Amino acid sequence: MPQNSIELLQKLMEKYSRVFMSFAGKQGVPYDDVEDIVMASFWSCYKGGYLEKMTEPEIKKVLVRIVYNKCMDYHRKAAPTDITAIEDCETELDKISYRAGNAVDKTVVSNENCQ
């Protein structure tokens, strides 16, 4: 077991960074931003003091949650900011589809055509 938290952080980064980058990519984060999100997650885990308090399996669980939360933060920041267009939407489903950048009806038709 590493002697201090910096050594443990380095070991965790070497061991799990690719896994967490793949996880972030599956959450819809663009390839160019995946590494930044994962490294920020490791840094948050270090600053939070989790490395001294927990075992490695517990740290992995915390890191997964941090990476997921940072991915969701990324999507919130990347969402369109045209508030008037969102307010013009009739239903909540329309608002969600507008933020996602596609219309729900077009997605449904596309999925039915694929099947």
Side-chain angles (χ1 to χ4, degrees), residues 12-112:
L12 289 171
M13 287 172 67
E14 290 172 2
K15 192 172 182 180
Y16 297 113
S17 62
R18 289 183 185 220
V19 174
F20 290 129
M21 285 181 198
S22 173
F23 175 72
K26 290 177 183 175
Q27 301 306 314
V29 176
Y31 179 77
D32 295 337
D33 298 321
V34 167
E35 186 175 2
D36 295 336
I37 286 176
V38 171
M39 291 305 137
S41 300
F42 278 113
W43 182 244
S44 294
C45 186
Y46 174 75
K47 286 192 321 187
Y50 298 112
L51 300 178
E52 293 90 16
K53 302 175 195 173
M54 299 180 172
T55 63
E56 187 173 331
E58 293 171 330
I59 293 170
K60 278 177 40 180
K61 291 177 186 177
V62 169
L63 278 168
V64 167
R65 191 64 200 180
I66 293 172
V67 170
Y68 179 78
N69 289 344
K70 290 201 178 286
C71 290
M72 294 305 106
D73 290 344
Y74 174 85
H75 289 301
R76 283 187 201 106
K77 289 178 185 174
T81 56
D82 186 7
I83 302 299
T84 56
I86 293 175
E87 290 174 352
D88 290 342
C89 295
E90 293 179 12
T91 65
E92 190 65 29
L93 189 58
D94 291 336
K95 291 179 185 179
I96 292 169
S97 65
Y98 178 80
R99 286 190 179 118
N102 56 359
V104 173
D105 54 348
K106 290 180 184 176
T107 304
V108 170
V109 170
S110 174
N111 289 344
E112 287 178 359

